Amino acid sequence: MANGLTMYEKLWQNHLVEDKAGETPLLYVDRHLIHEVTSPQAFANLRFHNRPVRHPERTIATMDHNISTRSIEINAAGEGAANQLRALEKNCKEFGIKLFGMGHKNQGIVHVMGPELGLTLPGTIIVCGDSHTATHGAFGALAFGIGTSEVEHVFATQTLRQNKAKTMKIEVKGQVGAGISAKDIVLAIIGKTGSAGATGYVVEYCGEAIEALSMEERMTVCNMSIEFGAKAGLIAPDQTTFDYVKGKEYAPKGEVFEQAIADWKQLKSDDDAVFDEVITLEAKDIKAQVTWGTTPGQVISIDGVVPSPDDFADPIEKESCVNALNYMDLSAGTKITDITVNKVFIGSCTNSRIEDLRAAAGVVQSFVEKGHQVVSTVDAIIVPGSYRVKEQAESEGLDKIFTDAGFEWRLPGCSMCLGMNDDVLAEGDRCASTSNRNFEGRQGRGSRTHLVSPEMAAAAALTGHFVDLNA
Amino acid sequence: MEKFNKHTGLVAPLDIANVDTDQIIPKQFLQKTERVGFGVHLFHDSRYLDSAGKEPNPEFVLNKPEYQGASILLARENFGCGSSREHAPWALEEFGFKVIIAPSFADIFYGNCINIGLLPIKLTEDEIEQLFQKSAQGELTLEIDLPNNTVSCGDISFSFSLSKFQQYSLEEGVDSVGWTLNKLDIIEAFEAKMPAWQ
């Protein structure tokens, strides 16, 4: 008898438009999210070939990568950015695409905006010209980043050609300890698999520790799937998912919603489904994580020390360690809690949602009660993921907690995660960042990034170094 | 897209693993609305000693005299990881590369290369190591034969594979959007059966 199907295989079958011998399979795309940086050349090509956007209502645009976090004026982001932002406005108007531009109540980081508006639904295929599209997999949607040629293909046809990926199950057994965040879980997973451990795979996260996560926490986990090479990350939709989606602005309503839930309940991997690879972690072993190197896989627990090249048997990993220690200006054996930072960034599509800000504010409050403020040698900024997140945070008084403690409270955008605007680190800066990439130069030429959770970033701002909050 | 058949060119060896697309083309150069102007910024932070890109770094492989005119980039594992920016393959292509050879590529980057006609070739770790060693001994020129799926030089010949349609698309320079638009009837039939919530 044939084996059951994995969730990925079900999503694949449900979207397979054509699978013809000798051609790459053609998949239907339900939702296409776009932003200013990776879309202009795709629009230009449509224009060149005189092709329309086939289903403009299935594409939603926002502005996020380039924009200023100090002003909603398009010109505030500099000439190059303003050019791209104006091009997006013009393109959306010409091709009939809904745009949440500067000052719009729905504007935000594309992977924060989509879920909070109910544009992200289980059982769909969602693509975007951004590798962190994997975020939407938290809903049981097959979601992945695409290049600009593919953006054009989706515009013109509402489909994409994709070769089938292999499947990997990552089970996190049991429950995490107190104070361990979704960011720690996913960094621990990447630490175990290495930075390319899931290349060629679609990953499904499961197990008690994953099921226990809120939707926002699940988004944090799926967001970083690309950081160990996975094409996409998936979590089976359950009651937590349905409760989150229900009533969202663009989510289906009434009977259609009931039918959707019935369909979405069929998506989870069958009990007898076979995965090409299975990885298991014990949740109780996961501690707060800090990256020490220049790939997200170069990560260690807060109570650890910076590793030595001698700790790696593989010659390439050894060499990568040498290069990373050199770039990061770190010595093997240094306690992680002895590493000092001069910049803190809380934000990005990984960690800029309301629960992230609440968690960070909680840590800030507990330190403020002990007499701490953001230390004088540290610049710390908080960039909410969207206008909705910003408004919610302000209605809860979180902005006040942050600003009273010495943080800067900014406007939503991708900001210092990739530093396309003026939120960049200077050469030699060392940053505790809640973003997703610690690549060389990612946050600014010659700058050094340590990836951490919002709680860990907040504590670093108030002490000037990494802190083991559970010690 | 231009057709790809055979290519003979000089190899530039980039002996670094996990080269990410931020390194290939840093973010400050992504603010263009055109498809050109990226090659000059390829590997900017490694290639130039200054932020303005005026002072070439003599230590960087692409600045060395012996690799001028290289059209084949030899790389290590997980090449092109990170951001989905197609600007990375655009920059490589505009700089003059026609072929990238590595033991493994990040998935999105690999697809982006195929879509613009830049040939990504996967060889085994052992074959890659042999090519790095040969390149270290002196100028290495490789012959790439796409129809026969071979990489060769003197007495060495390695074979590689692509999926059928990717091979066909590169050889014929297929307009992939046009190809799919010829199947609108199939797409419409699919749409007619979709549930209301989708």
Side-chain angles (χ1 to χ4, degrees), chain A residues 14-18 22-24 28 30 37 41 51 54-55 58 66 80-81 84 122 129-131 145-150 153 156-157 159 161 163 196 199-200 229 256 260 263-264 316 418-420 437 439 441-442 444-445, chain B residues 17 20 22 27 30-35 44-45 48-51 77-78 82-87 90 105 107-108 112 115-116 163-166 175-181 183-184 186-188 190-191 194-198:
Chain A
N14 291 347
H15 289 84
L16 191 60
V17 174
E18 191 190 40
E23 291 189 23
T24 305
Y28 197 75
D30 300 296
V37 177
Q41 295 86 354
R51 289 167 176 159
R54 198 163 160 265
H55 276 295
R58 289 184 178 274
N66 254 327
Q84 277 192 333
D130 186 282
S131 60
I146 57 177
T148 300
S149 296
E150 292 175 307
H153 194 279
T157 69
T159 64
R161 289 192 185 279
N163 285 310
T199 300
V256 179
D263 290 349
W264 296 343
I316 288 180
L418 82 168
M420 275 196 76
R437 291 196 171 124
F439 298 156
R442 169 80 176 179
R445 185 180 173 129
Chain B
D20 58 72
D22 276 82
K27 68 268 179 174
L30 305 184
Q31 291 184 330
K32 290 181 194 299
T33 55
E34 308 84 31
R35 170 74 164 69
H44 181 276
D45 288 3
Y48 302 106
L49 294 168
D50 62 327
S51 297
E77 65 184 33
N78 198 26
S83 158
S84 60
R85 59 189 71 164
E86 195 169 300
H87 311 66
W90 292 343
F105 294 90
D107 292 332
I108 303 175
N112 287 343
N115 286 333
I116 69 162
S163 80
K164 260 191 179 170
F165 191 64
Q166 289 176 334
D175 162 21
S176 65
V177 173
W179 185 277
T180 303
L181 283 174
K183 295 168 180 287
L184 274 187
I186 301 173
I187 301 171
E188 282 166 6
F190 180 91
E191 286 172 331
M194 279 167 38
W197 57 264
Q198 197 176 337

Side-chain angles (χ1 to χ4, degrees), chain A residues 331-353:
Chain A
S331 310
T334 304
K335 285 167 76 176
I336 297 297
T337 48
D338 285 345
I339 297 173
T340 58
V341 300
N342 69 327
K343 293 282 158 66
V344 170
F345 169 60
I346 298 178
S348 87
C349 58
T350 314
N351 280 129
S352 65
R353 298 180 181 83

